[in-house]
Amino acid sequence: MDGPLNLSATPWAAAANRSGGPPAALPGRAPLSVFGVLLLTLLALLAAATFLWNLLVLATILRVRAFHRVPHNLVASMAVSDVMVAALVMPLSLVHELAGRRWRLGRPLCHVWIAFDVLCCTASIWNVTAIALDRYWSLSRHLEYTLRARRCISNAMIALTWALSAIIALAPLLFGWGETYSEDNQACQVSQEPSYTVFSTFGAFYLPLCVVLFVYWKIYKAAKFRVGSRKSNSITPIAPEGLEVKEASQQSQIVFTVRHATVTFQTDGDTWREQKEKKAVLMVGILIGVFVLCWIPFFITELINPLCSCDIPPIWKSIFLWLGYSNSFFNPLIYTAFNKNYNNAFRNLFSRQH
């Protein structure tokens, strides 16, 4: 999932050349403008922040015993894929941009980079899909979706995620499905073979996109049905003579006291479980929304470019590529922001260090 970013061909760079800026670092290249340097610095910081934040999530899951179960195994799988994006993909992509969109590191490293690029990004996308599916089943089938069933299904989804990602990533190398490296042009990019483009984009993005949109629609419907059903079946007790009734001010309960006995009825307020479900629905919605916004521009251009031979400006291809990479930064932020257990675990982890 590679695209060029021409940082030296900007108006700022042209102005620097006309004003007698510093000589080019590489032969045949215009020097980077101030804007280009700032942009590269931001991209490097994005890669470092993505790596550190996902590594923190992984370290927390490994250290806290309460996280050694579902759904935290799905979160760990997502964090592993995002750590790999930050450690193995983004740095080489940054080097590619610095080299003026030319690949000077040879054919073997080009194949490795492209394979890890497709593998890690595809796994990250499918991990988001797996988390959405897990949330849907835990909400709509919480009686049948027991802890044992949830563990088996989540492990199966993790295995399928990485297996499918490996097939999509290694298909050009194993089956000669197009070429990723051109020695004459010093080009290194994902195979532009039209049949592989359709296969890879649908397998890596459009299929999981359809799944997550359908799942979130079902989650929203299930959440609305549960709230409506609870309200229609609510009990409004009537107190006879001699019965003391008092309504809890900050709880969704009415407490009846008869002599020394206390009976509690649930009223129309939100229970702890319902509040937790609402937060989970909101978290999944934001996770899916950010995933779509980050990746859809890249995959639209990736699909139409080989099929219609459209001339998409290199700067836009690179913007869309790095926007997709940024999804690996947002994933752990979104998930942990809606989970108090992670926030408490982070505080405990840092307090122990000090």
Side-chain angles (χ1 to χ4, degrees):
M1 299 183 181
D2 172 50
L5 177 60
N6 189 357
L7 297 172
S8 59
T10 61
W12 292 271
N17 293 339
R18 287 194 298 269
S19 61
L26 293 171
R29 269 197 71 204
L32 289 177
S33 64
V34 173
F35 174 78
V37 171
L38 290 175
L39 186 56
L40 286 171
T41 303
L42 286 176
L43 295 180
L45 290 174
L46 174 64
T50 302
F51 178 78
L52 293 174
W53 191 247
N54 282 284
L55 197 64
L56 177 62
V57 172
L58 279 175
T60 303
I61 293 174
L62 289 174
R63 288 175 64 95
V64 180
R65 290 183 61 86
F67 292 161
H68 295 177
R69 55 184 175 83
V70 289
H72 305 290
N73 57 341
L74 294 170
V75 179
S77 179
M78 182 175 67
V80 167
S81 61
D82 290 336
V83 160
M84 292 173 67
V85 169
L88 303 176
V89 179
M90 296 170 78
L92 285 175
S93 186
L94 201 57
V95 170
H96 188 227
E97 309 293 1
L98 281 169
R101 309 182 314 278
R102 296 183 182 276
W103 187 259
R104 295 184 170 92
L105 303 178
R107 181 186 297 271
L109 192 56
C110 170
H111 288 164
V112 170
W113 175 48
I114 294 297
F116 273 114
D117 189 352
V118 178
L119 171 71
C120 301
C121 293
T122 304
S124 179
I125 291 170
W126 274 106
N127 279 314
V128 172
T129 308
I131 290 174
L133 283 168
D134 175 74
R135 288 298 183 187
Y136 167 62
W137 287 325
S138 64
L139 176 65
S140 62
R141 302 177 182 178
H142 59 277
L143 295 179
E144 302 93 338
Y145 199 48
T146 61
L147 183 61
R148 184 176 179 180
R150 195 177 187 185
R151 186 186 301 114
C152 293
I153 292 173
S154 63
N155 289 336
M157 287 194 294
I158 292 171
L160 286 172
T161 289
W162 288 97
L164 177 61
S165 302
I167 291 171
I168 295 173
L170 298 176
L173 297 176
L174 297 178
F175 309 114
W177 211 347
E179 184 56 63
T180 59
Y181 177 73
S182 172
E183 188 173 0
D184 296 335
N185 298 327
Q186 290 185 313
C188 180
Q189 59 182 349
V190 175
S191 171
Q192 298 296 294
E193 181 72 26
S195 57
Y196 176 75
T197 297
V198 173
F199 167 74
S200 62
T201 55
F202 273 85
F205 179 73
Y206 291 107
L207 179 58
L209 174 66
C210 293
V211 172
V212 296
L213 292 179
F214 175 76
V215 163
Y216 191 69
W217 175 65
K218 297 290 285 184
I219 289 175
Y220 181 74
K221 281 187 64 178
K224 283 190 68 176
F225 173 78
R226 286 177 64 109
V227 172
S229 175
R230 180 181 57 78
K231 287 183 177 180
S232 63
N233 295 325
S234 61
I235 299 173
T236 306
I238 300 175
E241 268 187 46
L243 190 63
E244 181 186 351
V245 181
K246 51 181 181 178
E247 185 171 352
S249 58
Q250 295 183 351
Q251 297 179 355
S252 55
Q253 297 175 342
I254 289 181
V255 180
F256 293 81
T257 304
V258 187
R259 294 182 182 175
H260 299 291
T262 300
V263 182
T264 302
F265 287 88
Q266 191 66 46
T267 61
D268 287 342
D270 289 338
T271 64
W272 171 83
R273 179 180 176 81
E274 286 162 350
Q275 290 174 355
K276 187 178 178 182
E277 287 175 355
K278 284 182 179 180
K279 187 175 286 190
V281 170
L282 180 60
M283 183 275 295
V284 173
I286 295 175
L287 194 69
I288 292 172
V290 172
F291 148 70
V292 172
L293 291 175
C294 286
W295 278 117
I296 201 167
F298 172 81
F299 277 100
I300 288 176
T301 58
E302 191 73 6
L303 180 62
I304 66 175
N305 193 38
L307 297 181
C308 70
S309 301
C310 302
D311 187 17
I312 298 171
I315 184 67
W316 285 109
K317 293 178 70 175
S318 285
I319 289 172
F320 295 156
L321 175 71
W322 282 89
L323 182 62
Y325 287 161
S326 70
N327 186 231
S328 294
F329 170 75
F330 290 119
N331 282 339
L333 285 178
I334 295 168
Y335 195 88
T336 56
F338 285 87
N339 194 313
K340 290 183 179 179
N341 294 330
Y342 278 99
N343 296 329
N344 295 333
F346 291 157
R347 280 193 290 268
N348 293 335
L349 188 65
F350 285 116
S351 63
R352 287 176 185 174
Q353 299 296 330
H354 297 290

